[in-house]
Amino acid sequence: MDFADLNDVEPIPQDDGPEPVCSIAYSPEFIKAYDYLRALLKADERSERALNLTTFCLKLNPANYTVWHFRRRCLISLSAETDQTPAIDVERIEKDLDFADKLGGTNPKNYQLWYHRRALLEFRFKEEGDILQVAKKELEYVDKILDDDSKNYHAWSHRQWIIKTLNKTELWSSEINYSHSKVLSDPRNNSAWNQRWFALHEGKISSVYSNDRSAVLSLEKAKEEASYALYGADLDPFNESPWRYLVGILMEQWRSAKRGRDADDIAKVTGLIQENIGKIREMKKSWEEKRPNDHSSGSSASLLSALVDLLEIFTDAKESLTEAKALLGKLMLEDPVRRKYWLKREKHITKLLVSIEQKENNAV
């Protein structure tokens, strides 16, 4: 960078104290750039040359949140104001999104960079025009990042923020299809399963409100999603993601029905859960008969865990709890790392069974 435009500025060196313990070996160019930046920050100069200096400084260190913040202040000051409301010109926003894109190529998990994109879009979404197209363009950018790293937390969070902020039915619907495509490309990508849950619930697609005003899926949609999860689990019973998704879907239905206390609803949900328990039993039987060579046993800890979770829902059903207890004994062998956890679960079920037996004896 040519610093000639800053000749009238007195650089402010970094103050590491009288006896720095471990001084960082900055390059001469880095020192000069940041010395000038400190001077402009102190003077609160939000000019074109200040903006250009932040560009250079961010190329040297893209994680410096102070520089990103000062850059946004410069962009606002250099843009035309409308009714005294802070804003950034659309053209500057587009250029800065492109700048952030170029920096992001080598910094895909940079917190400051993702927040900068969000801050720019907050201004952009307030402008007139086809905001939906702006959102779609940004979603395409996020998709590009996820193609390189399908589990990038920042990218998924940014994607959720865009969709939730605009809250358009078209975006919610397309996100369900998008998450499905990601599940197909990698069934073990828990982020994709989570995104499907997000789109279905937050977008209130095929969902209703329970008594506590939280969105839950309709019973019909829950049946579809349970089948979807089982299909994913059947591809690989050792993949925990679809099993957790299945348990989440069915648990949600059960809790909603119990809160509503409607006998008919409880009966329908009970039937749905029992139906899926039966399907899991069949999958377990089929898988154990195959006895794959790459696993010492034919059982999947994820499958067994999901089956226990669903059986344990019926706390007053002796047969279900007895089966769950037996499965927990097996889990202690299949999943020794969490042996103490399964043992604790087994003790809890044992207490429930003792309570049931006491009630039966008292009734005689």
Side-chain angles (χ1 to χ4, degrees), residues 164-186:
K164 199 169 183 178
T165 298
L166 266 65
N167 197 24
K168 301 289 185 182
T169 302
E170 181 181 344
L171 293 180
W172 288 115
S173 298
S174 62
E175 197 62 14
I176 295 174
N177 296 329
Y178 179 79
S179 62
H180 174 62
S181 69
K182 289 299 182 183
V183 168
L184 288 179
S185 62
D186 179 12

Side-chain angles (χ1 to χ4, degrees), residues 76 126 180 227 251 325 327:
I76 293 171
K126 294 175 184 177
H180 174 62
S227 297
M251 283 283 199
K325 182 178 178 180
L327 291 171

